[in-house]
Amino acid sequence: MRVIGTAGHVDHGKSALVKALTGINPDRLKEEQEREMTIDLGFAWMTLPSGQAVSLVDVPGHEAFIKNMLAGVGGIDAALLVIAADEGIMPQTREHLAILDLLRVKGGVVALTKSDLAREPGWLEMVEAEVAHALRDTVLAGASIVAVSAKTGRGLDVLRRELDRTLAEVVEKTDRARPRLPIDRVFTLAGFGTVVTGTLDDGSFGVGDEVEIAPRGLRARIRGLQTHKEKIARAAPGGRVAINLAGIATDELARGDVVIRPGTYRPTQILDARLQWLPDAPKPLRHSQRLELFVFSSETSVRVRLLEGERVEAGQSAWVQLISSAPLVLAKGDRFILRYASPSQTVGGGVVIEPHPLARYRRGRSEVIERLERAQRGTPTELIMQYVEMNGALDARELPERVGLEPSVVALALRELIDAGELITLNHERAEYLVSRASWNEWCARARVHLDKYHREFPLRAGIPREVFKTRLPSLPPRIFDSALERAAREQVFEFNEKSVWAREHRAEFDPALEARVEALLADFERAPYSPPSAEEASAAIGAEALNALVEQGQLVRLSASVLLTSAAERAMMAWVIAAIHARGQVTAAELRDQFGTSRKYAIAFLEYLDQKHVTRRVGDGRVLHPHLELTRAAE
């Protein structure tokens, strides 16, 4: 599940656009509907042209509610920046754009709303040029700009396609088995009790799971899960989720709390970070200055300790330690926003490098800065995971050069990741290939989808041919396909043999009417085992799919496109041919025909079948044993 967040100036039509796209009014509060202005977060959902379901988070545009906006954009995959065509870029447009830039939102689309109110010919083109210029040095540089009208419907289909295209280019959130859901809403639902909502990150939750509410340290149990008002048994990372919690009251929770798996995160009040001070910040940032910190849905006051120098000028970056007035639940790589409390204004942001530093560092120490720079690049395990996830499957021998670490360091980090289950190994010849657990889980899930679809389309077939299966799952290199099959079978994802792959629960079964026709056909084969019905006659009697099923099950053997035998007849004829050649050196089609009272057509088809199986080879008008059988006989 993917999440798109709106952004833009007040009264530029964000909520109207969301309603036009989804049919859902995101303004849920009575005051919002009366004032026709979004105050708090709103939520909606829709299905894009590709069939992908997405959530939309509608945020307030008014400067008085910017804190509510920040609670909604922390976990989004892409932004929908809304700019009214009749007004163009306004102050909150620029602040929202700066926030998206600081959060490093991976992609986005610009919607020029109210395009039906364009003032004069060429007006839209002028506004588009202004917007493109404003986006030039941001994360939305080069984003598509689509003129739309929620009133007339203009451009809505184009906008949906562009959102689809943008999300296809954004890497989905991975499952690191450390789920956390920053709470952005808490409410009571009649008959259910306490419900919290948020965007799930870093892992999955299932119904019945025991959870912790951090940083409060409270425990609860997941009674139910929903997404888009539909019940689900398990919620995957990246989507909007509503969690029905048992054993806890609403007055014990608040926006900014985080639902986690017990023991997976430790709250912190001091963290190392790389900070970026905005180019339009009105004043330099000074050492020990107090600011408001926003991470996901949490808000708290922090004191900024500069680790170099006494001030940070507009547009500069710096290494800092942030001392929080309240505990926070953070992980390395989390993005944050910094604001002045008064006057309220976004002035900077950055990324968490270490959520649990060992100490408050002495300022001006070069070794501290060097350590932070190494940490920004990543620990050995993080660097390895990054490269493996980027490459899908990576030869372990390439890692030391790729990550720039000593082989001994890589070996220790690899062992840690493999023991923790975050990496799995697939072998090919002497090489060991590494695949992230998230990529492997995705491959297995896609495999099941393909198998289920194939079994629905061809219920009488034993399974999908292995080579066809390989082409439909190209995310792993072909050279490790066989190793992937073996591992998946061990993990009971599916079953396979030298020919086919199939879901473990799949069985090719005939319905009663077809079963009767099949039994009649097999009886015909038994009555004349060496001159049975032709393939054309058999197909006419039971259908091509049922006939293929009998061949796959081994009840019939296909000698050629038009000739079939029972497996017993095939074994009897093969045994006689081998024995006859041993006795007199060769065998002819006429001798085979006379021995079994069959036709020349069937005798020739059978001998050509043995040639293809490398049992015999033709010499003149006769057959002799294939050399590999002669060698086997000599060895015996």
Side-chain angles (χ1 to χ4, degrees):
M1 187 69 67
R2 317 301 290 278
V3 181
I4 299 170
T6 65
H9 195 75
V10 64
D11 200 31
H12 273 205
K14 293 186 294 298
S15 299
L17 178 59
V18 169
K19 184 175 181 181
L21 287 169
T22 67
I24 300 169
N25 185 357
D27 287 339
R28 56 190 170 81
L29 302 179
K30 180 180 178 181
E31 184 180 1
E32 291 177 320
Q33 296 175 7
E34 290 175 349
R35 296 172 60 180
E36 296 186 346
M37 181 176 68
T38 301
I39 298 173
D40 205 347
L41 301 176
F43 306 98
W45 54 89
M46 65 177 176
T47 301
L48 293 174
S50 66
Q52 178 178 207
V54 297
S55 301
L56 280 88
V57 180
D58 185 37
V59 305
H62 196 285
E63 62 179 346
F65 306 114
I66 195 75
K67 295 179 180 180
N68 290 341
M69 179 268 185
L70 287 167
V73 297
I76 65 175
D77 295 293
L80 177 56
L81 181 62
V82 177
I83 301 173
D86 60 335
E87 290 189 347
I89 294 176
M90 299 294 283
Q92 255 54 64
T93 311
R94 297 188 184 280
E95 184 167 12
H96 283 204
L97 183 56
I99 290 169
L100 297 176
D101 201 43
L102 289 168
L103 293 176
R104 295 294 188 267
V105 172
K106 299 299 189 297
V109 179
V110 179
L112 286 185
T113 54
K114 306 183 183 182
S115 62
D116 52 307
L117 301 181
R119 300 179 181 180
E120 57 191 47
W123 180 266
L124 284 177
E125 291 76 8
M126 182 183 70
V127 175
E128 287 182 12
E130 177 194 19
V131 171
H133 181 78
L135 301 180
R136 186 178 52 188
D137 297 322
T138 74
V139 290
L140 297 188
S144 297
I145 303 172
V146 183
V148 298
S149 170
K151 182 177 180 181
T152 67
R154 170 185 176 176
L156 295 183
D157 287 341
V158 176
L159 181 57
R160 292 187 184 97
R161 289 196 296 271
E162 287 302 314
L163 289 170
D164 219 348
R165 182 191 60 78
T166 298
L167 285 176
E169 297 173 354
V170 175
V171 177
E172 294 191 34
K173 293 182 174 65
T174 56
D175 188 339
R176 302 191 183 280
R178 302 178 66 209
R180 53 178 175 156
L181 183 134
I183 296 173
D184 52 41
R185 287 181 64 199
V186 181
F187 57 92
T188 299
L189 198 60
F192 293 90
T194 300
V195 177
V196 300
T197 68
T199 300
L200 184 57
D201 193 25
D202 284 343
S204 60
F205 280 134
V207 174
D209 286 356
E210 296 296 322
V211 295
E212 177 184 344
I213 312 301
R216 299 175 186 268
L218 302 174
R219 295 296 180 97
R221 180 177 58 82
I222 296 180
R223 178 184 292 161
L225 292 167
Q226 283 193 8
T227 184
H228 300 172
K229 294 190 176 180
E230 292 186 1
K231 292 182 179 180
I232 55 176
R234 178 158 291 275
R240 290 289 308 171
V241 182
I243 303 181
N244 181 201
L245 293 173
I248 199 164
T250 55
D251 59 7
E252 297 179 272
L253 306 172
R255 174 180 286 178
D257 291 342
V258 184
V259 183
I260 63 172
R261 189 171 293 157
T264 52
Y265 292 88
R266 287 186 294 123
T268 183
Q269 287 187 253
I270 180 171
L271 57 111
D272 298 338
R274 185 66 175 174
L275 176 146
Q276 179 67 47
W277 202 240
L278 287 178
D280 58 356
K283 299 177 183 178
L285 170 66
R286 298 187 179 278
H287 174 64
S288 223
Q289 186 171 342
R290 287 202 170 272
L291 296 168
E292 288 184 313
L293 173 76
F294 296 82
V295 185
F296 295 111
S297 59
S298 68
E299 170 192 352
T300 189
S301 171
V302 294
R303 182 166 60 87
V304 183
R305 297 187 68 240
L306 301 181
L307 298 179
E308 296 178 288
E310 296 297 323
R311 51 195 279 167
V312 180
E313 301 291 345
Q316 291 183 342
S317 59
W319 289 107
V320 300
Q321 279 194 316
L322 302 180
I323 314 299
S324 172
S325 60
L328 297 165
V329 180
L330 299 173
K332 181 176 180 178
D334 287 348
R335 309 290 307 190
F336 59 84
I337 299 296
L338 293 169
R339 306 188 84 233
Y340 285 150
S342 180
S344 183
Q345 182 181 357
T346 300
V347 287
V351 61
V352 176
I353 300 300
E354 175 52 66
H356 297 283
L358 298 176
R360 297 191 185 191
Y361 310 126
R362 291 179 59 186
R363 301 176 63 229
R365 301 292 292 270
S366 60
E367 65 272 19
V368 170
I369 303 304
E370 290 173 3
R371 186 165 64 249
L372 289 174
E373 288 175 346
R374 286 197 304 271
Q376 186 180 31
R377 293 193 297 270
T379 64
T381 55
E382 289 166 340
L383 288 172
I384 289 171
M385 285 299 299
Q386 176 185 348
Y387 275 99
V388 172
E389 289 173 350
M390 286 171 57
N391 288 273
L394 189 66
D395 189 334
R397 295 171 298 186
E398 300 177 13
L399 273 175
E401 181 179 352
R402 291 286 192 98
V403 299
L405 298 172
E406 292 295 323
S408 59
V409 175
V410 170
L412 288 173
L414 272 181
R415 179 47 49 199
E416 177 182 343
L417 290 167
I418 292 170
D419 289 346
E422 294 191 54
L423 284 181
I424 66 167
T425 59
L426 298 172
N427 300 318
H428 173 67
E429 296 178 349
R430 296 184 179 181
E432 185 177 65
Y433 286 84
L434 305 166
V435 179
S436 73
R437 171 57 66 176
S439 296
W440 175 249
N441 289 345
E442 179 185 359
W443 188 86
C444 292
R446 289 178 58 208
R448 284 307 307 262
V449 169
H450 283 299
L451 289 173
D452 291 344
K453 180 181 178 182
Y454 189 87
H455 293 326
R456 288 194 301 271
E457 291 180 358
F458 306 105
L460 297 181
R461 297 186 186 179
I464 184 171
R466 280 178 61 157
E467 288 305 311
V468 174
F469 189 65
K470 181 190 292 189
T471 61
R472 294 188 181 182
L473 290 169
S475 57
L476 294 179
R479 57 187 173 275
I480 58 173
F481 177 73
D482 290 342
S483 181
L485 286 184
E486 292 168 3
R487 185 181 186 100
R490 289 197 303 271
E491 295 181 1
Q492 299 187 344
V493 178
F494 49 67
E495 295 179 5
F496 74 100
N497 58 25
E498 67 277 5
K499 294 181 179 179
S500 305
V501 184
W502 63 92
R504 298 182 68 247
E505 66 277 10
H506 174 68
R507 297 292 180 271
E509 297 178 347
F510 304 125
D511 61 48
L514 181 56
E515 180 71 33
R517 299 203 306 274
V518 168
E519 289 179 356
L521 176 68
L522 293 176
D524 290 341
F525 272 77
E526 292 296 334
R527 279 191 292 271
Y530 305 111
S531 296
S534 68
E536 293 81 357
E537 292 168 336
S539 181
I542 64 173
E545 282 297 313
L547 186 58
N548 287 335
L550 292 177
V551 173
E552 286 185 338
Q553 293 168 10
Q555 296 192 65
L556 295 179
V557 178
R558 194 184 298 275
L559 304 185
S560 67
S562 60
V563 178
L564 299 162
L565 290 178
T566 64
S567 57
E570 183 252 14
R571 289 194 300 272
M573 293 177 76
M574 185 184 300
W576 182 86
V577 167
I578 293 173
I581 295 174
H582 285 165
R584 51 181 179 265
Q586 68 171 7
V587 71
T588 65
E591 290 171 331
L592 180 65
R593 177 197 63 197
D594 295 339
Q595 173 67 27
F596 290 94
T598 186
S599 68
R600 179 174 173 80
K601 171 185 173 181
Y602 276 71
I604 290 175
F606 188 76
L607 290 175
E608 289 177 348
Y609 165 75
L610 293 184
D611 293 344
Q612 292 171 0
K613 291 179 69 68
H614 292 169
V615 174
T616 60
R617 65 184 179 92
R618 184 172 180 173
V619 177
D621 292 332
R623 259 51 177 205
V624 298
L625 289 182
H626 192 278
H628 89 272
L629 279 187
E630 291 284 10
L631 289 173
T632 301
R633 184 186 177 199
E636 293 174 350

